[in-house]
Amino acid sequence: MRLSDSIESFIKTLMTQEEPEVELKRNELAEYFGCAPSQINYVLATRFSPDHGYIIESRRGGGGYIRIVRVVQSGAQRLMYLTNERIGEAITEAEAVRLIHQLVEQGLVSLAEGEIMRSAVSAQAMSVPIPDALKAALRARTLKTMLMTIARQNREGGGIHG
């Protein structure tokens, strides 16, 4: 297991369903894992961002801390946030695949739904003779439409993830 994965796993085990936030000292965490504080910053920035459903608060100085708060949202709310805020007007295949992976990991879409979504936004599906910018825009609209459909099913009680 990579160091980043270990740090992420450690922080997530500190957070429970009953306690959706944890307060840590960056230097103590870095010392515990035998790494530089910048490695802790990297994990926080890449694994605990708002896109992942977390808010980071920090205070610098001698008594400084990092507070990681899990934003509690329903599956439908989370999907609508991603649709409206994260995807934008265009998205690359790599960004789309990362986002879909996060959705599956967070249980917002099933593994089967994730596979279908990945196929729909893949280079193979987008292999039409149009400029890459248009492919990225088409990929974003396709992904948004799929997420809105899943969110609607969750709200109506037809989904298994809401």
Side-chain angles (χ1 to χ4, degrees), residues 112-129:
E113 290 167 335
E115 289 299 316
I116 292 167
M117 293 169 83
R118 270 193 283 274
S119 294
V121 299
S122 70
Q124 183 178 1
M126 300 287 161
S127 65
V128 291

PDB file of all heavy atoms in Angstrom, residues 112-129:
ATOM      1  N   ALA A 112     -21.678  -1.467 -11.608  1.00  0.00           N
ATOM      2  CA  ALA A 112     -22.223  -1.648 -12.959  1.00  0.00           C
ATOM      3  C   ALA A 112     -22.526  -0.295 -13.605  1.00  0.00           C
ATOM      4  O   ALA A 112     -22.212  -0.068 -14.780  1.00  0.00           O
ATOM      5  CB  ALA A 112     -23.483  -2.506 -12.914  1.00  0.00           C
ATOM      6  N   GLU A 113     -23.140   0.622 -12.847  1.00  0.00           N
ATOM      7  CA  GLU A 113     -23.415   1.960 -13.373  1.00  0.00           C
ATOM      8  C   GLU A 113     -22.114   2.665 -13.737  1.00  0.00           C
ATOM      9  O   GLU A 113     -22.023   3.322 -14.775  1.00  0.00           O
ATOM     10  CB  GLU A 113     -24.187   2.796 -12.349  1.00  0.00           C
ATOM     11  CG  GLU A 113     -25.619   2.349 -12.142  1.00  0.00           C
ATOM     12  CD  GLU A 113     -26.275   2.972 -10.921  1.00  0.00           C
ATOM     13  OE1 GLU A 113     -25.558   3.357  -9.968  1.00  0.00           O
ATOM     14  OE2 GLU A 113     -27.511   3.063 -10.907  1.00  0.00           O
ATOM     15  N   GLY A 114     -21.113   2.526 -12.881  1.00  0.00           N
ATOM     16  CA  GLY A 114     -19.816   3.134 -13.140  1.00  0.00           C
ATOM     17  C   GLY A 114     -19.188   2.625 -14.425  1.00  0.00           C
ATOM     18  O   GLY A 114     -18.621   3.406 -15.210  1.00  0.00           O
ATOM     19  N   GLU A 115     -19.289   1.337 -14.651  1.00  0.00           N
ATOM     20  CA  GLU A 115     -18.729   0.744 -15.880  1.00  0.00           C
ATOM     21  C   GLU A 115     -19.445   1.277 -17.118  1.00  0.00           C
ATOM     22  O   GLU A 115     -18.814   1.575 -18.131  1.00  0.00           O
ATOM     23  CB  GLU A 115     -18.800  -0.785 -15.820  1.00  0.00           C
ATOM     24  CG  GLU A 115     -17.833  -1.409 -14.838  1.00  0.00           C
ATOM     25  CD  GLU A 115     -16.386  -1.102 -15.172  1.00  0.00           C
ATOM     26  OE1 GLU A 115     -15.992  -1.186 -16.357  1.00  0.00           O
ATOM     27  OE2 GLU A 115     -15.626  -0.763 -14.248  1.00  0.00           O
ATOM     28  N   ILE A 116     -20.756   1.389 -17.024  1.00  0.00           N
ATOM     29  CA  ILE A 116     -21.524   1.930 -18.152  1.00  0.00           C
ATOM     30  C   ILE A 116     -21.131   3.386 -18.398  1.00  0.00           C
ATOM     31  O   ILE A 116     -20.931   3.804 -19.548  1.00  0.00           O
ATOM     32  CB  ILE A 116     -23.039   1.795 -17.892  1.00  0.00           C
ATOM     33  CG1 ILE A 116     -23.430   0.313 -17.918  1.00  0.00           C
ATOM     34  CG2 ILE A 116     -23.845   2.605 -18.902  1.00  0.00           C
ATOM     35  CD1 ILE A 116     -24.819   0.034 -17.384  1.00  0.00           C
ATOM     36  N   MET A 117     -21.001   4.152 -17.314  1.00  0.00           N
ATOM     37  CA  MET A 117     -20.610   5.553 -17.451  1.00  0.00           C
ATOM     38  C   MET A 117     -19.224   5.674 -18.078  1.00  0.00           C
ATOM     39  O   MET A 117     -19.003   6.515 -18.967  1.00  0.00           O
ATOM     40  CB  MET A 117     -20.645   6.244 -16.080  1.00  0.00           C
ATOM     41  CG  MET A 117     -22.048   6.369 -15.511  1.00  0.00           C
ATOM     42  SD  MET A 117     -22.043   6.897 -13.799  1.00  0.00           S
ATOM     43  CE  MET A 117     -21.879   8.666 -14.040  1.00  0.00           C
ATOM     44  N   ARG A 118     -18.288   4.841 -17.621  1.00  0.00           N
ATOM     45  CA  ARG A 118     -16.929   4.877 -18.182  1.00  0.00           C
ATOM     46  C   ARG A 118     -16.957   4.573 -19.678  1.00  0.00           C
ATOM     47  O   ARG A 118     -16.263   5.208 -20.466  1.00  0.00           O
ATOM     48  CB  ARG A 118     -16.018   3.883 -17.463  1.00  0.00           C
ATOM     49  CG  ARG A 118     -15.299   4.471 -16.273  1.00  0.00           C
ATOM     50  CD  ARG A 118     -14.185   3.559 -15.784  1.00  0.00           C
ATOM     51  NE  ARG A 118     -14.672   2.427 -15.027  1.00  0.00           N
ATOM     52  CZ  ARG A 118     -14.932   2.452 -13.721  1.00  0.00           C
ATOM     53  NH1 ARG A 118     -14.730   3.546 -13.035  1.00  0.00           N
ATOM     54  NH2 ARG A 118     -15.378   1.387 -13.113  1.00  0.00           N
ATOM     55  N   SER A 119     -17.767   3.595 -20.064  1.00  0.00           N
ATOM     56  CA  SER A 119     -17.872   3.245 -21.481  1.00  0.00           C
ATOM     57  C   SER A 119     -18.431   4.399 -22.295  1.00  0.00           C
ATOM     58  O   SER A 119     -17.960   4.685 -23.400  1.00  0.00           O
ATOM     59  CB  SER A 119     -18.781   2.024 -21.660  1.00  0.00           C
ATOM     60  OG  SER A 119     -18.190   0.893 -21.081  1.00  0.00           O
ATOM     61  N   ALA A 120     -19.439   5.065 -21.748  1.00  0.00           N
ATOM     62  CA  ALA A 120     -20.100   6.154 -22.484  1.00  0.00           C
ATOM     63  C   ALA A 120     -19.197   7.366 -22.701  1.00  0.00           C
ATOM     64  O   ALA A 120     -19.381   8.100 -23.663  1.00  0.00           O
ATOM     65  CB  ALA A 120     -21.368   6.573 -21.752  1.00  0.00           C
ATOM     66  N   VAL A 121     -18.223   7.578 -21.813  1.00  0.00           N
ATOM     67  CA  VAL A 121     -17.342   8.750 -21.946  1.00  0.00           C
ATOM     68  C   VAL A 121     -15.945   8.372 -22.442  1.00  0.00           C
ATOM     69  O   VAL A 121     -15.061   9.219 -22.499  1.00  0.00           O
ATOM     70  CB  VAL A 121     -17.243   9.539 -20.613  1.00  0.00           C
ATOM     71  CG1 VAL A 121     -18.613  10.044 -20.193  1.00  0.00           C
ATOM     72  CG2 VAL A 121     -16.603   8.717 -19.513  1.00  0.00           C
ATOM     73  N   SER A 122     -15.781   7.134 -22.824  1.00  0.00           N
ATOM     74  CA  SER A 122     -14.461   6.646 -23.248  1.00  0.00           C
ATOM     75  C   SER A 122     -14.048   7.210 -24.600  1.00  0.00           C
ATOM     76  O   SER A 122     -14.874   7.690 -25.382  1.00  0.00           O
ATOM     77  CB  SER A 122     -14.476   5.115 -23.338  1.00  0.00           C
ATOM     78  OG  SER A 122     -15.280   4.701 -24.435  1.00  0.00           O
ATOM     79  N   ALA A 123     -12.768   7.106 -24.883  1.00  0.00           N
ATOM     80  CA  ALA A 123     -12.233   7.551 -26.179  1.00  0.00           C
ATOM     81  C   ALA A 123     -12.886   6.758 -27.307  1.00  0.00           C
ATOM     82  O   ALA A 123     -13.170   7.307 -28.377  1.00  0.00           O
ATOM     83  CB  ALA A 123     -10.719   7.370 -26.201  1.00  0.00           C
ATOM     84  N   GLN A 124     -13.156   5.489 -27.054  1.00  0.00           N
ATOM     85  CA  GLN A 124     -13.792   4.650 -28.076  1.00  0.00           C
ATOM     86  C   GLN A 124     -15.198   5.173 -28.404  1.00  0.00           C
ATOM     87  O   GLN A 124     -15.581   5.276 -29.564  1.00  0.00           O
ATOM     88  CB  GLN A 124     -13.861   3.202 -27.597  1.00  0.00           C
ATOM     89  CG  GLN A 124     -14.434   2.252 -28.620  1.00  0.00           C
ATOM     90  CD  GLN A 124     -14.447   0.822 -28.127  1.00  0.00           C
ATOM     91  OE1 GLN A 124     -14.042   0.529 -27.017  1.00  0.00           O
ATOM     92  NE2 GLN A 124     -14.916  -0.083 -28.965  1.00  0.00           N
ATOM     93  N   ALA A 125     -15.968   5.548 -27.376  1.00  0.00           N
ATOM     94  CA  ALA A 125     -17.308   6.071 -27.612  1.00  0.00           C
ATOM     95  C   ALA A 125     -17.263   7.432 -28.293  1.00  0.00           C
ATOM     96  O   ALA A 125     -18.175   7.801 -29.038  1.00  0.00           O
ATOM     97  CB  ALA A 125     -18.074   6.178 -26.293  1.00  0.00           C
ATOM     98  N   MET A 126     -16.203   8.175 -28.042  1.00  0.00           N
ATOM     99  CA  MET A 126     -16.068   9.519 -28.605  1.00  0.00           C
ATOM    100  C   MET A 126     -15.223   9.529 -29.876  1.00  0.00           C
ATOM    101  O   MET A 126     -14.736  10.574 -30.292  1.00  0.00           O
ATOM    102  CB  MET A 126     -15.423  10.464 -27.572  1.00  0.00           C
ATOM    103  CG  MET A 126     -16.191  10.622 -26.297  1.00  0.00           C
ATOM    104  SD  MET A 126     -17.661  11.610 -26.556  1.00  0.00           S
ATOM    105  CE  MET A 126     -18.606  11.164 -25.118  1.00  0.00           C
ATOM    106  N   SER A 127     -15.047   8.383 -30.504  1.00  0.00           N
ATOM    107  CA  SER A 127     -14.177   8.315 -31.698  1.00  0.00           C
ATOM    108  C   SER A 127     -14.962   8.717 -32.947  1.00  0.00           C
ATOM    109  O   SER A 127     -15.233   7.915 -33.827  1.00  0.00           O
ATOM    110  CB  SER A 127     -13.567   6.922 -31.846  1.00  0.00           C
ATOM    111  OG  SER A 127     -14.583   5.973 -32.087  1.00  0.00           O
ATOM    112  N   VAL A 128     -15.317   9.979 -32.960  1.00  0.00           N
ATOM    113  CA  VAL A 128     -15.971  10.564 -34.122  1.00  0.00           C
ATOM    114  C   VAL A 128     -15.071  11.694 -34.628  1.00  0.00           C
ATOM    115  O   VAL A 128     -14.309  12.274 -33.847  1.00  0.00           O
ATOM    116  CB  VAL A 128     -17.392  11.085 -33.779  1.00  0.00           C
ATOM    117  CG1 VAL A 128     -18.332   9.939 -33.487  1.00  0.00           C
ATOM    118  CG2 VAL A 128     -17.355  12.037 -32.603  1.00  0.00           C
ATOM    119  N   PRO A 129     -15.153  12.002 -35.910  1.00  0.00           N
ATOM    120  CA  PRO A 129     -14.242  13.009 -36.463  1.00  0.00           C
ATOM    121  C   PRO A 129     -14.653  14.451 -36.129  1.00  0.00           C
ATOM    122  O   PRO A 129     -15.085  15.211 -36.991  1.00  0.00           O
ATOM    123  CB  PRO A 129     -14.296  12.734 -37.969  1.00  0.00           C
ATOM    124  CG  PRO A 129     -15.653  12.145 -38.191  1.00  0.00           C
ATOM    125  CD  PRO A 129     -15.963  11.362 -36.946  1.00  0.00           C
TER     126      PRO A 129
END
